[in-house]
Amino acid sequence: MPTDPICGMFVEESPDALTAVVRGRKYYFCSETCRDTFVAPEHEYRRLKQRTALALLLALPILLISYLPALPSNLGGYVLLGLATPVQFVAGSRFYRGFYDAVRTRMANMDVLIALATSAAYFYSLIYLLFPSVFSEGGLYFDSSSLIIALLLLGRLLERRVKGRASEALNRLLELRPRTATVLTDEREHEV
């Protein structure tokens, strides 16, 4: 059973498995995100930066409106809904894609946990906002779902950046090694 080169998970070799052929070798992946990161890391990194920026830019006003309520509570809830929706479904779409891939391959991963937790907070808040009589007591948790997504994306962005710098440093070290060596045997030198 092969492992995913990005996340290290075991992956089934099945006809519907996610694969990519790189330099003549076939690789198996647990999700589209892992495959895209392996095949086109620059493109995936750029997309991750954009989604992280979106999530952080919208999560800050969500946090401020949630904890410093300057708007009437009913209007504030709808503003929070409007700000949280792009964070949940645009910036957080990578987690939903990972959730779908995990369900399809029957292999749970961190994306399953993130998608379930943030969706529970988002949809509970949505129901509470639209139908407050359904719950005797409750509140809005758009801030929680948005901040979780924003901080996890920021963490993945920083992780990817550090890994990229480490790879660059290793490549520079490999470039420093000599191409040939002189070996002394039986009082004679020859190049290897």
Side-chain angles (χ1 to χ4, degrees), residues 8-178:
M9 289 183 59
F10 290 106
V11 182
E12 293 277 334
E13 289 184 42
S14 64
D16 60 338
L18 291 168
T19 62
V21 177
V22 178
R23 291 188 287 280
R25 186 170 177 192
K26 188 174 191 177
Y27 293 92
Y28 291 84
F29 299 92
C30 65
S31 69
E32 288 180 20
T33 305
C34 287
R35 183 185 62 198
D36 295 345
T37 301
F38 186 75
V39 173
E42 304 85 20
H43 178 69
E44 187 61 27
Y45 181 72
R46 193 174 331 111
R47 200 163 44 178
L48 179 60
K49 277 181 19 180
Q50 292 168 348
R51 289 185 178 164
T52 303
L54 173 70
L56 290 172
L57 286 173
L58 293 177
L60 183 61
I62 290 170
L63 188 64
L64 292 174
I65 293 170
S66 295
Y67 292 102
L68 303 172
L71 299 170
S73 65
N74 194 22
L75 178 62
Y78 289 104
V79 170
L80 289 173
L81 173 64
L83 292 170
T85 300
V87 174
Q88 188 72 32
F89 299 110
V90 176
S93 64
R94 70 181 296 120
F95 300 118
Y96 287 107
R97 236 181 329 141
F99 175 83
Y100 171 76
D101 291 335
V103 168
R104 190 173 54 78
T105 59
R106 295 185 208 110
M107 298 285 289
N109 60 19
M110 190 63 139
D111 291 337
V112 173
L113 176 64
I114 296 165
L116 288 176
T118 59
S119 294
Y122 177 87
F123 287 111
Y124 172 85
S125 299
L126 179 64
I127 293 169
Y128 181 76
L129 179 65
L130 298 177
F131 309 105
S133 61
V134 171
F135 302 104
S136 59
E137 289 184 30
L140 299 177
Y141 298 102
F142 292 121
D143 57 327
S144 299
S145 67
S146 298
L147 281 173
I148 288 170
I149 289 171
L151 293 175
L152 285 167
L153 288 173
L154 179 62
R156 288 189 177 183
L157 181 68
L158 294 173
E159 176 189 19
R160 194 79 41 77
R161 188 173 178 192
V162 168
K163 282 182 178 179
R165 286 185 176 176
S167 288
E168 287 174 17
L170 282 173
N171 287 334
R172 283 196 303 264
L173 278 174
L174 287 173
E175 288 173 5
L176 293 175
R177 72 178 180 191

